[in-house]
Amino acid sequence: MREKMILSDAEWRKRLTPEQFAILRQAGTERAFTGKYEKNRAVGEYLCAGCGHPLFESEAKFDSRSGWPSFTQPADDGAVDEHRDVTHGMVRTEVVCSRCAGHLGHVFPDGPPEQGGLRYCINSAALDFKPEDN
């Protein structure tokens, strides 16, 4: 496991775009159907846009028709951490990067039943994509 990455808000602001900062550091959400990876079908790996930590593999990505990139599982057991989120009058499970604690999105129990039943609903702005080498 990688060492935890802890930076000040000023350091994060230097590293991230304003949209990435709002999502990763302030638990924001991009508008549905606007993210650059929502329709991405390329083979590769999705990394944390804040720290480069591997989060999800393209094989786990599916079209949930939710408007955000959706995955059935993280890249490995230590890729993400999950926390109870009771903001906005709802009870949800927040998903954060296990290395830098950046907010990624939420996980819901409405994914494909044949693949475990989970839907990791992730903001595109929280991700970078590394295509598989051919």
Side-chain angles (χ1 to χ4, degrees):
M1 184 168 136
R2 291 185 183 175
E3 187 176 316
K4 298 284 185 185
M5 182 175 184
I6 301 168
L7 301 175
S8 69
D9 278 353
E11 291 169 311
W12 281 119
R13 285 184 192 280
K14 288 179 187 175
R15 292 177 66 100
L16 303 172
T17 68
E19 180 185 32
Q20 288 172 325
F21 184 84
I23 291 169
L24 285 162
R25 308 315 311 167
Q26 298 176 318
T29 302
E30 65 198 9
R31 286 189 10 237
F33 301 102
T34 64
K36 63 183 174 181
Y37 298 125
E38 194 251 331
K39 299 237 184 263
N40 185 35
R41 301 292 175 253
V43 176
E45 181 177 41
Y46 292 87
L47 311 172
C48 176
C51 71
H53 183 61
L55 299 172
F56 299 96
E57 298 291 336
S58 60
E59 293 81 19
K61 191 170 186 290
F62 70 100
D63 184 5
S64 67
R65 297 183 175 92
S66 67
W68 291 275
S70 296
F71 303 87
T72 57
Q73 63 187 21
D76 64 52
D77 288 339
V80 301
D81 291 330
E82 299 176 8
H83 307 285
R84 184 182 165 141
D85 177 1
V86 294
T87 60
H88 306 292
M90 298 178 267
V91 177
R92 302 177 290 177
T93 302
E94 177 187 24
V95 179
V96 300
C97 173
S98 65
R99 182 171 183 231
C100 71
H103 173 80
L104 304 171
H106 293 87
V107 61
F108 301 98
D110 61 359
E114 66 279 2
Q115 295 178 352
L118 296 177
R119 174 175 58 96
Y120 286 82
C121 184
I122 307 299
N123 291 285
S124 285
L127 301 172
D128 282 330
F129 181 70
K130 179 182 171 188
E132 184 178 272
D133 291 335
N134 291 332

